[in-house]
Amino acid sequence: MTRGSIAFIDDEPQLCAAAADWLEASGFEVETFTDAALALARIDPSRCDCVVTDLRMPGLDGQEVLARLRVADPDLPVILLSGHGDVPVAVEAMRMGAHDFLEKPYGAEHLVEVLDRAVELRRVRREARTARWSDLASARLEGRLIGASPAIAALRQMVQDLSDVAVDLLIRGETGSGKEELARAFHDFSRRARRPFVAIHCAGLPEVQFETELFGHERGYLSGTAAARIGKLEHASGGTVFFNEIETMPLSLQSRLLRAMQERGVERLGSNALRPVDLRIMAATRVDLPAEVAAGRFRADLYYRLSPVTLDLPPLRDRTEDIPLLFMRFAEEAAARFGRPVPALREADLRALRGHRWPGNMGELKAAAERAVLGLRPGPQAAEAEPLPLPDRIARIEAGLIAEALEECGGSSALAAERLGIPRRTLNEKIARYGLRDG
């Protein structure tokens, strides 16, 4: 078993080789880099226990490496190596979140001791994060992504597994199926939760306005503008940007978005300066994006960039077991808002809820719950392929009344018959005819 996985960054190849020899002999797993930019591109925070970096290097210095790693994973310990004259700078880096610093030349055994403490801290933080999920966040997540269906349970697990992984996401689902709520869950249960979640609805905005909203502009670029404006991508740095209906984004803007994702930087309109941004991109679509790519309406390279992780959010009609739970959640919210009691769901209501196709998905279900709270309509009617004959309609109404009476009487057919004003034998015959009692 390895003593810990270490990334070692120093522009001196001989120092890297010596450190690797000693640390590997001491039981560590070591990867060395003489180029800090290359190191940042290759270090995977989920697999690394500690980073050791020199403070003075050409190009990116140790402070910049520390700052970028703190954004990628604030829990990843970073140890700085500094010369004697750099001690004040190293102390300042400690205030920025560095785990420790060693003054060159350092003792090899002392380096091992410092690394052991850093790796142990990393292990404790990982265990604390796991405990946080199991003890605290799981219940909150179930309250956000409501449902007992296997599909929703799998999506909740994906949120737990990937919320803190720096990977972009593509969410597929029908209009109203809850794509934005799923994206918000990924954001709210990640380390990015304290930074903005910016939702951008791609449909309906003119291309010029869309470009300005996305990238911002410099002072005077647009007539009548006396000040520069920060675009939504720049504003959301450190957080998450969610593109809804991304298939409607103009092709010219798709290319600009792709460049921003690749470079993790934006250029305001009227400027040549690339401004670095730290973003997680999530996108949602209700269409078949590969088909849009084949038709030339969507860039293939942007699709491949967005789709390393693709999540499918099923419509309500494909998870009928979740509909009563969602209906009651919407009813409780509406009752609190309107100052009305929460209506009770009867057996007939449950059958109607499960039987309806819900083409409007969440929006339609929420509207039905609000109507029920207001007493305007008890619930949706099950969708019919064609109008039923009158005798069948009467039978359906009769079956609903009998089921309601049985429920109110605790399943007693004698009490239900008395309440309905019919002989008990007649009631039992109707119960059997309509299949209202199991067994």
Side-chain angles (χ1 to χ4, degrees):
M1 181 177 178
T2 179
R3 201 164 174 174
S5 178
I6 310 300
F8 193 97
I9 309 170
D10 197 297
D11 59 315
E12 298 182 31
Q14 291 181 341
L15 197 151
C16 284
D21 288 343
W22 175 256
L23 294 177
E24 287 174 355
S26 300
F28 292 96
E29 187 178 289
V30 184
E31 187 172 10
T32 61
F33 303 92
T34 56
D35 185 305
L38 179 63
L40 288 173
R42 290 189 178 177
I43 291 172
D44 181 356
S46 66
R47 297 182 179 180
C48 184
D49 294 315
C50 182
V51 175
V52 181
T53 179
D54 193 14
L55 188 58
R56 297 289 182 184
M57 294 181 291
L60 295 178
D61 62 15
Q63 283 183 297
E64 182 65 20
V65 170
L66 169 64
R68 296 196 185 187
L69 289 174
R70 290 282 296 167
V71 170
D73 186 345
D75 291 340
L76 178 61
V78 178
I79 297 170
L80 294 172
L81 304 177
S82 67
H84 178 71
D86 294 327
V87 171
V89 181
V91 171
E92 177 60 28
M94 294 284 288
R95 295 194 185 99
M96 293 171 55
H99 173 73
D100 205 341
F101 76 92
L102 299 177
E103 187 176 350
K104 291 182 177 179
Y106 55 82
E109 292 183 357
H110 181 49
L111 174 62
V112 169
E113 292 174 2
V114 173
L115 285 175
D116 277 337
R117 290 195 297 269
V119 170
E120 176 63 16
L121 176 65
R122 181 69 160 161
R123 182 190 65 77
V124 169
R125 285 174 173 172
R126 279 176 172 153
E127 290 178 356
R129 189 183 308 166
T130 302
R132 179 191 68 187
W133 264 117
S134 60
D135 297 338
L136 300 175
S138 294
R140 288 175 48 225
L141 182 58
E142 288 183 10
R144 287 285 297 276
L145 299 179
I146 299 171
S149 61
I152 298 304
L155 286 174
R156 284 197 296 264
Q157 186 61 51
M158 291 293 283
V159 172
Q160 292 194 29
D161 293 342
L162 298 178
S163 61
D164 276 331
V165 178
V167 63
D168 299 325
L169 300 174
L170 178 64
I171 304 172
R172 301 185 297 198
E174 293 182 3
T175 299
S177 56
K179 299 186 290 294
E180 184 172 337
E181 180 61 27
L182 177 59
R184 284 184 180 275
F186 273 100
H187 173 80
D188 291 345
F189 287 88
S190 75
R191 296 189 195 91
R192 296 178 178 268
R194 295 182 180 179
R195 300 296 298 154
F197 176 92
V198 176
I200 299 173
H201 298 274
C202 300
L205 276 178
E207 184 171 344
V208 175
Q209 183 181 350
F210 197 169
E211 189 174 25
T212 304
E213 288 285 320
L214 218 57
F215 298 100
H217 61 77
E218 293 293 354
R219 177 182 179 181
Y221 178 78
L222 300 176
S223 60
T225 58
R229 178 180 177 181
I230 295 176
K232 291 187 181 295
L233 294 181
E234 195 174 341
H235 166 71
S237 187
T240 301
V241 177
F242 171 68
F243 291 95
N244 198 13
E245 297 188 11
I246 195 167
E247 70 274 6
T248 64
M249 180 181 286
L251 282 168
S252 60
L253 288 183
Q254 291 179 27
S255 62
R256 287 206 63 183
L257 174 61
L258 176 65
R259 184 185 174 201
M261 292 177 67
Q262 290 172 335
E263 298 182 355
R264 284 309 194 243
V266 298
E267 290 180 8
R268 295 180 187 173
L269 300 182
S271 171
N272 293 323
L274 187 68
R275 299 172 182 272
V277 293
D278 168 41
L279 294 174
R280 186 178 196 181
I281 302 295
M282 300 186 194
T285 182
R286 54 184 173 81
V287 303
D288 183 356
L289 273 190
E292 295 295 294
V293 170
R297 292 187 292 267
F298 199 85
R299 292 183 63 103
D301 44 8
L302 179 58
Y303 169 69
Y304 296 133
R305 183 80 188 197
L306 288 169
S307 58
V309 176
T310 301
L311 305 175
D312 290 305
L313 192 54
L316 286 180
R317 63 180 175 274
D318 291 343
R319 51 185 185 113
T320 54
E321 60 267 59
D322 297 340
I323 293 173
L325 298 173
L326 289 163
F327 182 89
M328 289 308 299
R329 166 56 66 86
F330 293 145
E332 289 168 357
E333 292 173 351
R337 190 165 64 253
F338 300 145
R340 296 286 186 90
V342 178
L345 279 181
R346 299 164 298 185
E347 185 63 32
D349 298 328
L350 291 173
R351 285 201 302 272
L353 286 170
R354 293 192 183 104
H356 189 61
R357 296 286 290 172
W358 301 106
N361 288 296
M362 296 291 188
E364 185 183 359
L365 181 63
K366 185 175 183 179
E370 290 175 346
R371 287 195 301 271
V373 170
L374 294 172
L376 302 178
R377 185 177 176 187
Q381 302 299 313
E384 300 291 346
E386 58 185 23
L388 289 173
L390 180 60
D392 290 343
R393 296 187 198 179
I394 294 173
R396 173 169 289 186
I397 294 171
E398 184 178 60
L401 292 172
I402 292 172
E404 182 178 341
L406 286 170
E407 183 180 2
E408 292 173 348
C409 295
S412 170
S413 57
L415 292 176
E418 182 178 348
R419 173 168 295 194
L420 293 169
I422 60 175
R424 182 177 178 182
R425 179 177 177 180
T426 302
L427 177 61
N428 286 331
E429 289 173 354
K430 291 180 181 292
I431 291 172
R433 184 190 313 157
Y434 297 133
L436 297 176
R437 183 165 286 160
D438 294 336

